[in-house]
Amino acid sequence: MTPLPLLLLLAALLSAAAPSAVSWRPWPPSAARNTTALLYGASKKYEGSSEFVRLKYHMGPVLTANITVYPIWYGRWRPAQKRIIRDFISSISAAGARRPSVAGWWRTVQQYTDQTGANISRTVLAGPEKTDRFYSHGKSLTRLSVQSVIKSAVAASSRPLPINPRGGVYLLLTSGDVYVQDFCNNVCGFHYFTFPSIVGYTLPYAWVGNSGDLCPGVCAYPFAVPAYIPTLTAVKSPNGDVGVDGMISVIAHEIAEVATNPLVNAWYAGQDPVFPVEIADLCEGIYGTGGGGSYTGQMLNDKDGATYNMHGLRRRFLVQWVWNNLVNYCTGPNALD
């Protein structure tokens, strides 16, 4: 979870009645400094900065049961786009991929435990899906209406999604013509848990939007670059879809944080659970050895010019690293050291 700028967060709290854990992309120079920046300094890239990072366990549950991801496709999605995302989810715990692999990346997430010493599950499965191609809740969603979309999926009269509070991750994916509250304003995705008053159950969920048309330079970086950093050059996406390839890293970010902090009371840094800094936030923008600041680190380039850092079962992906609490810095399967 990466916090919003303070003014945006206050607005979000007033409109949504609850905080949400969010992931971000490069800040424009004019953006207000947020509480995490004040706590940890100007850089939000912490590779090797073990002296300053204090990730703690706050005794809440983590996802130790087998994890099932339930995609909810909201809006218009092409079959090819769905295949890319499905392939990534199916690769998270698949042992058969070439190294460096997505499964190798997940092993860092799996090392986190609950208060009994039980590890996060090594098994992540792609579960049943729901599709809402008719935008039944409109093309502009608030944080509360995101939960209403999830309610529609689990309460549908035909093939509702299973109710799985122990191991379910309800992944709402909005198409490129859907705007979600604060999207593109340094927010590319968030996770939280549903309210029983809205959904009927407390279920961990995440939202990630397709930024391909709205703000690729913010949420599909480094496959697109922000206009306010003219010296950066975009790299070629591995699956030929800038928006969806950009989503993959945000999806990974949110699933890792849901697993380690599903009710926002488990693994995070900082003193205030309203502003938790989670295991993916600590490595935001780091994709390889040497990453930090504005540098992504050493990535891989294939013969077709595509840039990636790990293999799935059938595809290549670019996924940010996560914080390794055993060695106290960011790690990934493509590390050179």
Side-chain angles (χ1 to χ4, degrees):
M1 188 289 310
T2 304
L4 296 164
L6 185 57
L7 292 178
L8 293 175
L9 179 59
L10 292 174
L13 291 175
L14 289 173
S15 61
S20 291
V22 305
S23 67
W24 63 286
R25 282 296 180 267
W27 297 99
S30 60
R33 295 188 67 180
N34 54 42
T35 55
T36 306
L38 293 174
L39 178 63
Y40 289 112
S43 175
K44 295 175 68 65
K45 318 290 195 295
Y46 299 107
E47 186 191 26
S49 54
S50 58
E51 179 182 353
F52 303 106
V53 174
R54 295 291 182 267
L55 185 73
K56 295 181 180 179
Y57 177 52
H58 298 265
M59 305 305 289
V62 301
L63 299 187
T64 57
N66 287 351
I67 298 168
T68 303
V69 179
Y70 302 103
I72 302 171
W73 307 96
Y74 190 84
R76 300 296 178 92
W77 290 89
R78 297 193 302 273
Q81 293 177 317
K82 290 184 176 183
R83 284 195 294 269
I84 295 170
I85 294 174
R86 288 188 189 118
D87 284 353
F88 174 73
I89 295 170
S90 298
S91 296
I92 292 176
S93 61
R98 290 173 53 196
R99 296 183 180 181
S101 68
V102 176
W105 166 84
W106 184 253
R107 279 194 286 273
T108 299
V109 180
Q110 188 196 341
Q111 76 185 18
Y112 288 87
T113 61
D114 65 10
Q115 57 185 297
T116 71
N119 290 84
I120 287 172
S121 176
R122 65 183 299 176
T123 301
V124 181
L125 305 172
E129 304 178 0
K130 289 298 287 185
T131 298
D132 186 342
R133 65 176 59 89
F134 299 112
Y135 310 90
S136 62
H137 295 265
K139 288 190 175 183
S140 182
L141 303 177
T142 66
R143 291 173 184 252
L144 285 184
S145 62
V146 160
Q147 295 201 23
S148 296
V149 176
I150 296 171
K151 178 183 179 180
S152 296
V154 300
S157 58
S158 174
R159 293 184 294 179
L161 292 183
I163 302 300
N164 182 3
R166 292 188 64 243
V169 176
Y170 297 81
L171 180 61
L172 176 60
L173 303 166
T174 51
S175 58
D177 55 348
V178 176
Y179 177 75
V180 175
Q181 182 179 348
D182 300 320
F183 189 26
C184 295
N185 197 357
N186 306 315
V187 174
C188 307
F190 59 75
H191 76 88
Y192 205 56
F193 52 87
T194 61
F195 303 151
S197 59
I198 296 177
V199 179
Y201 308 89
T202 300
L203 304 172
Y205 76 91
W207 159 76
V208 179
N210 185 338
S211 67
D213 294 327
L214 294 172
C215 57
V218 176
C219 294
Y221 177 82
F223 305 125
V225 297
Y228 53 82
I229 312 180
T231 57
L232 289 181
T233 301
V235 300
K236 182 178 179 180
S237 67
N239 296 292
D241 189 312
V242 166
V244 174
D245 276 319
M247 290 180 73
I248 292 297
S249 191
V250 184
I251 290 170
H253 179 126
E254 298 304 334
I255 290 177
E257 293 185 344
V258 170
T260 54
N261 199 25
L263 302 182
V264 199
N265 61 357
W267 288 95
Y268 64 86
Q271 300 302 314
D272 189 345
V274 175
F275 302 96
V277 181
E278 299 170 278
I279 69 166
D281 302 324
L282 293 168
C283 305
E284 182 66 48
I286 295 175
Y287 300 90
T289 299
S294 61
Y295 180 54
T296 58
Q298 292 290 319
M299 301 178 290
L300 302 173
N301 292 305
D302 219 336
K303 295 178 181 178
D304 62 358
T307 297
Y308 66 104
N309 66 348
M310 55 191 76
H311 297 276
L313 285 172
R314 290 172 289 273
R315 298 175 185 270
R316 306 156 297 178
F317 301 104
L318 185 68
V319 176
Q320 72 158 80
W321 287 7
V322 291
W323 187 259
N324 186 323
N325 202 42
L326 298 181
V327 296
N328 220 31
Y329 56 81
C330 301
T331 59
N334 59 310
L336 300 179
D337 50 8

